[in-house]
Amino acid sequence: MPTLNKIGTALGRSHHAPAIDPALRRMRLALTVFFAVDGFLFASWVVRIPAIKAQAGASAGQLGLALLGVSAGAVATMVLTGRLCRRFGSDRVTLATGVVLSLSIALPPRTHSALALGLVLLVFGVSYGGLNVAMNSVAVELVAALRRPVMSSFHAAYSLGGLIGASLGGLLAPHLSPATHLLLLTPVGLLTVAFAGRVLLAHPIEVPREHIARATASARSEAAVPAAERASKSDSAPTSAPTSGGVRHTRLLVAVFGLIAACSSYGEGALAEWGPLHIQQDLHGGPGIAAAGYAAVALMMTLGRLTGTALLERLGQTRVLVLGGLTAAGGMLLGALAPVIPLVILGFGLTGLGLANSFPTTIARAGALTGASGVAAASTLGYGGMLLGPPSIGFLTDAIGLPIALTTVSALAAVAAVIAYAVRNSGRRT
């Protein structure tokens, strides 16, 4: 069995599963709310990008440079956020960055030039990147405490929040200006973050680090022996300390997980910020129809992530990553090149379904290997892909047109599938 699959199996395996602590249930609910708010605010911003682009008088290339502010702010913050989580606690950092994100969502529509838009998006990116590392770090701790691979359920909440944000944005677009719409979201975000944050701070997680260590050691040792011999072994993990070679191997695995996440999340970011513009600009759909394109992505990502735990337990991580990457690659080709809006929306939905579990699965595995530092490292690569995708698409659009530029999403999704398949036996020793 490949190492990628064994880590998740070992984390979730328990012959005598204990009753779940009610405090952990409350923590899981509160953290789910944070993921949902994050997706809701981000989607609310992206569905108003066409209007904000027109307001700023920006070309596709200038919009790409402005969107680079989100990327730069988020990526620059992610490694620092890992350190802050270790010093102050992931729960406190989650609450603080959630507050800043709720405030900064109102800033983009108040700009009237590409330069000003890029500067305020830098602030937005700092809060967005910090929140995502912090709440994923809390999620890794909670996954370890629950001893089940439930990371996909948190990211399902993000996608559901995105679906609600995109749908609401589509309904409000004909009636409210972007400035009014996004300003109304600030008190909604602050109130939600305040209530969920109280629960998060009131129930700090006692992280069972030995569960993570046991799962990782078990995965490495079982990958090193034949299957027939593994079948006769007990579930107990070896207690020997990792060698320097093992540490390097672990770091390499974290980097590989981050690379898979980056290739997959490139498509998520590109679809979020350029999908609605493709429908509105290239296919002449209205703002409501453009928002429906991203809503289809968010809906299918939500459905994919809601079934993510069951898929991982049944198919294993490698199959989920490979099949997801191939589905996204095919769906994006349809979404980018189809000549009519219904087929484009169908392609967007298939892409969202294929990408659904790649990011949460890889971040969970990185966190299981090295804790908050693994989450920060893999998230930096993963969210780097998500946030660098939009400006890259912008530059390519000026050169080759938006439909062809969007096919890079398909290419990188296929690359993610190939990498996941190539490292399926990465823990096996010769």
Side-chain angles (χ1 to χ4, degrees):
M1 176 73 72
T3 292
L4 294 178
N5 293 335
K6 296 303 293 183
I7 296 176
T9 302
L11 275 173
R13 179 171 48 205
S14 177
H15 295 298
H16 304 286
I20 298 177
D21 187 338
L24 291 179
R25 289 198 186 96
R26 290 191 289 273
M27 281 287 293
R28 184 176 180 183
L29 178 60
L31 188 59
T32 298
V33 169
F34 268 99
F35 273 87
V37 168
D38 186 36
F40 175 76
L41 294 178
F42 188 75
S44 298
W45 137 248
V46 300
V47 299
R48 302 313 300 261
I49 285 177
I52 294 173
K53 174 181 179 290
Q55 176 181 296
S59 67
Q62 289 172 330
L63 179 61
L65 283 173
L67 293 174
L68 193 60
V70 181
S71 309
V75 173
T77 306
M78 283 177 173
V79 174
L80 175 62
T81 303
R83 297 174 185 171
L84 292 175
C85 288
R86 290 192 294 272
R87 180 169 182 179
F88 299 106
S90 301
D91 48 0
R92 291 183 176 88
V93 178
T94 297
L95 177 59
T97 51
V99 169
V100 178
L101 182 68
S102 299
L103 294 171
S104 63
I105 188 68
L107 298 179
R110 301 185 179 278
T111 60
H112 297 278
S113 69
L115 176 60
L117 180 60
L119 291 175
V120 301
L121 288 180
L122 185 67
V123 178
F124 183 78
V126 165
S127 58
Y128 180 76
L131 176 59
N132 277 275
V133 170
M135 67 184 184
N136 273 291
S137 297
V138 177
V140 166
E141 296 174 354
L142 193 53
V143 166
L146 293 170
R147 302 174 69 180
R148 288 197 66 215
V150 297
M151 179 66 88
S152 288
S153 68
F154 296 120
H155 288 260
Y158 174 91
S159 298
L160 180 59
L163 173 62
I164 295 172
S167 302
L168 183 62
L171 292 174
L172 295 178
H175 309 290
L176 292 180
S177 68
T180 302
H181 172 202
L182 298 185
L183 180 61
L184 290 174
L185 300 185
T186 291
V188 174
L190 288 175
L191 288 173
T192 307
V193 164
F195 282 112
R198 289 181 61 188
V199 178
L200 217 60
L201 296 178
H203 302 286
I205 302 173
E206 296 295 330
V207 184
R209 297 290 182 188
E210 69 278 5
H211 293 162
I212 297 176
R214 184 181 302 119
T216 305
S218 177
R220 290 179 186 150
S221 64
E222 290 183 23
V225 297
E229 187 177 338
R230 284 201 303 268
S232 64
K233 287 183 175 291
S234 68
D235 290 336
S236 61
T239 57
S240 58
T243 64
S244 60
V247 171
R248 287 193 298 270
H249 181 68
T250 298
R251 289 174 179 170
L252 178 61
L253 279 178
V254 169
V256 169
F257 292 141
L259 182 58
I260 295 172
C263 289
S264 301
S265 62
Y266 175 96
E268 189 173 348
L271 272 176
E273 300 192 1
W274 289 99
L277 193 63
H278 172 53
I279 292 176
Q280 197 165 342
Q281 171 184 289
D282 299 323
L283 299 171
H284 311 294
I289 298 297
Y294 182 68
V297 177
L299 173 62
M300 297 308 290
M301 292 193 81
T302 301
L303 294 177
R305 286 170 172 174
L306 286 173
T307 59
T309 298
L311 286 173
L312 286 166
E313 290 177 336
R314 179 178 294 271
L315 299 178
Q317 185 185 27
T318 298
R319 291 187 182 91
V320 168
L321 291 175
V322 171
L323 292 175
L326 295 177
T327 300
M332 197 60 238
L333 284 177
L334 179 62
L337 303 177
V340 294
I341 290 176
L343 287 179
V344 170
I345 293 178
L346 174 61
F348 283 3
L350 288 174
T351 306
L353 181 64
L355 296 176
N357 290 299
S358 295
F359 191 90
T361 301
T362 52
I363 297 302
R365 296 291 73 78
L369 287 170
T370 56
S373 62
V375 172
S379 293
T380 300
L381 287 169
Y383 282 109
M386 178 184 291
L387 299 169
L388 288 173
S392 300
I393 295 291
F395 301 142
L396 288 171
T397 296
D398 276 347
I400 58 178
L402 182 53
I404 302 301
L406 286 173
T407 62
T408 59
V409 173
S410 179
L412 287 181
V415 168
V418 169
I419 295 173
Y421 184 77
V423 299
R424 67 195 184 283
N425 296 318
S426 59
R428 194 179 299 277
R429 300 186 184 102
T430 57

